[in-house]
Amino acid sequence: MKRKLTFFSLTFILFGSSLPAQQKAASKGTELKLAQTILADQKLKYVDSLARQVIKEGFNAGSGYSQIWARDLNTFIETALEERSPADVRGAILLFFQMQQPNGEMVDGYVLKKDFTWHDDTPYYSNNAPDHVGFKNTVETDQESSLIQLLGKYIQKTKDYSILDESVGGLSVKERIQLMLDYLKRERYNTKYHLLWGAMTADWGDVQPHDDFGCDWNELSNEAIDIYDNAMLIIALQQLIEIQPNAANTADWKAFKKELETNSRRYLWDQKRQKFIPHIYPKSSPLPKGFDENKIHYHGGTAIAIEAGLLKRSEIATVNKQMLENVRLSGMPSIGLTLYPTYPVGFFKGWMAEPYHYQNGGDWTWFGGRMIQQLIQHGFYQEAYDELQPMIDRVVKNKGFYEWYGKNDVPSGSGKFKGSAGVLSKAIAMINQWASETATQQQ
């Protein structure tokens, strides 16, 4: 018996120990094959080229939009800096700070007065930018965090730290950033949950239910805490810490960031279901009686939460599988699917009253592309490439970047939506970089 045991032990040492090496070699071979496929993919090259042409046209959100929005520019600034003059981008960013309001809040965006042609009963003005008009969807709480992220990406790519000391109306940009954070703490911070709040909307959206217009806080609004708003601020605070590591307020930013991270996990992450709950309603809820909102998966907010570092790698794998299953069940074309299942018919007004329209289950590359970026960032290369394909294919088919897609991949909204172009261009750059490095290392 002892001699047999010795024999089998020796056999394992000689042959069994080689299995990990064989598996590693097989894995490398699979990665190399994927990398070569990516580098040879002409559709990726075409879509990136088309995205750059669209972004080169200007900083407005897209065809049909004359306005420049912070949340949109934040998602195509990297490509914009490669296709437009950095001085032009700098000027566009500084105009946001010129439009800052006396209470510290930031507008969604701005437009030249001559282009202010739509009805808006709450325009925003500033003596620091007399030729412009600002606007804001006050049901949202992502304007300040979007601008901070935008500024951080600009600085990290250009190394132009001087913009932080630029004087705007007698205050430096970095002083105005602190005013924005103070505004959020004062006006949009829930002291029970220690998280930001906004109005109840669908995932990351800017339209509330039961309201014909839907974009302004009013008597029909319901205070709600969600993952999107809080993840956006976590990312913004991280950007601030990286571009100003020795600032006087850095310790406060780190503490605020830690608080948001802790409480986002504590109150918004459903450990049992392995998903984020849609909302906490500190006061009244707008939901129909008997409707279980926690059955709904918020794809966009989840992608931003991953970017904010709130999920472990195993959890990312789980939520990605959930997204793919939601796509299958819904019949929608890609993981850009805003949410699933949708809110009931008539819960929202206008075109969102029907399922799979606009933010009530429409398919938005603008956020699906950011999920692809996070899959790449966390090493899910095959998944990223596979799940990118429906988004790439429809750009090739339509020769453009539509704002959102309905059932059967029907394009809707702006035909040159720069947010969609920007997130795809960045995703393509990221996956091409991985493929190029992998191919080089394994040659």
Side-chain angles (χ1 to χ4, degrees), residues 75-354:
T75 58
F76 64 86
I77 181 174
E78 290 100 336
T79 305
L81 281 166
E82 294 170 2
E83 299 300 327
R84 296 290 299 260
S85 160
D88 290 344
V89 180
R90 191 181 200 272
I93 294 171
L94 286 174
L95 243 168
F96 279 104
F97 287 98
Q98 291 166 12
M99 291 301 303
Q100 187 175 25
Q101 299 298 292
N103 65 351
E105 73 176 311
M106 188 51 62
V107 297
D108 262 315
Y110 57 80
V111 70
L112 284 166
K113 283 184 175 178
K114 68 179 180 63
D115 294 325
F116 183 52
T117 56
W118 69 97
H119 172 70
D120 188 338
D121 57 7
T122 53
Y124 290 72
Y125 297 97
S126 171
N127 291 333
N128 295 318
D131 296 331
H132 288 79
V133 179
F135 52 89
K136 185 171 186 176
N137 292 0
T138 51
V139 295
E140 283 272 31
T141 311
D142 69 342
Q143 294 87 353
E144 292 76 18
S145 53
S146 292
L147 181 57
I148 293 169
Q149 289 181 41
L150 169 60
L151 176 68
K153 290 173 183 176
Y154 166 79
I155 291 174
Q156 288 172 333
K157 196 166 179 72
T158 65
K159 310 305 178 187
D160 176 19
Y161 289 87
S162 69
I163 193 172
L164 292 167
D165 295 310
E166 185 81 22
S167 179
V168 177
L171 294 173
S172 68
V173 165
K174 56 189 175 186
E175 288 175 315
R176 290 188 172 278
I177 290 171
Q178 190 57 50
L179 290 177
M180 287 194 289
L181 295 175
D182 293 342
Y183 164 78
L184 290 175
K185 269 288 191 82
R186 186 177 65 250
E187 302 292 339
R188 289 291 177 110
Y189 180 74
N190 183 283
T191 54
K192 177 181 177 180
Y193 294 98
H194 298 277
L195 291 168
L196 294 187
W197 59 269
M200 184 278 175
T201 63
D203 195 2
W204 49 267
D206 57 0
V207 180
Q208 64 185 355
H210 317 318
D211 186 357
D212 289 327
F213 179 56
C215 295
D216 285 341
W217 181 272
N218 56 29
E219 70 281 357
L220 298 173
S221 303
N222 294 89
E223 184 177 321
I225 298 170
D226 64 34
I227 191 57
Y228 170 70
D229 291 335
N230 288 282
M232 283 290 285
L233 185 53
I234 290 168
I235 297 166
L237 289 167
Q238 183 59 38
Q239 290 273 21
L240 273 184
I241 293 163
E242 289 175 5
I243 62 175
Q244 296 189 82
N246 300 314
N249 294 321
T250 300
D252 292 336
W253 299 336
K254 288 181 177 179
F256 192 16
K257 176 174 173 282
K258 181 64 176 176
E259 177 183 69
L260 294 172
E261 290 169 340
T262 299
N263 291 314
S264 291
R265 287 285 304 198
R266 178 178 295 160
Y267 297 117
L268 295 172
W269 177 248
D270 185 332
Q271 183 65 33
K272 183 178 179 181
R273 298 193 189 190
Q274 289 285 286
K275 63 180 286 292
F276 287 101
I277 68 169
H279 295 106
I280 296 169
Y281 298 105
K283 297 177 182 177
S284 61
S285 166
L287 300 173
K289 187 176 181 180
F291 179 73
D292 183 4
E293 190 183 34
N294 197 27
K295 289 182 179 178
I296 300 177
H297 293 249
Y298 274 8
H299 286 202
T302 300
I304 303 306
I306 296 170
E307 185 180 353
L310 292 174
L311 295 187
K312 296 178 290 189
R313 194 174 190 278
S314 60
E315 292 168 336
I316 296 170
T318 298
V319 298
N320 184 57
K321 288 177 182 176
Q322 291 171 350
M323 288 182 185
L324 291 172
E325 178 63 4
N326 292 340
V327 168
R328 186 188 70 81
L329 292 170
S330 68
M332 292 296 279
S334 86
I335 60 167
L337 172 66
T338 315
L339 51 84
Y340 182 83
T342 61
Y343 286 92
V345 174
F347 178 71
F348 286 93
K349 292 199 171 186
W351 59 4
M352 279 180 66
E354 294 296 323

Side-chain angles (χ1 to χ4, degrees), residues 368-382:
R370 280 183 261 185
M371 182 62 185
I372 300 297
Q373 293 172 14
Q374 292 310 306
L375 289 173
I376 299 166
Q377 185 70 31
H378 291 88
F380 296 95
Y381 306 114
Q382 186 69 62

Side-chain angles (χ1 to χ4, degrees), residues 386-404:
D386 291 343
E387 294 169 46
L388 180 61
Q389 295 310 304
M391 303 181 206
I392 295 295
D393 288 342
R394 63 191 176 200
V395 172
V396 173
K397 177 183 176 182
N398 298 311
K399 296 181 174 59
F401 301 87
Y402 279 86
E403 191 170 358
W404 62 280

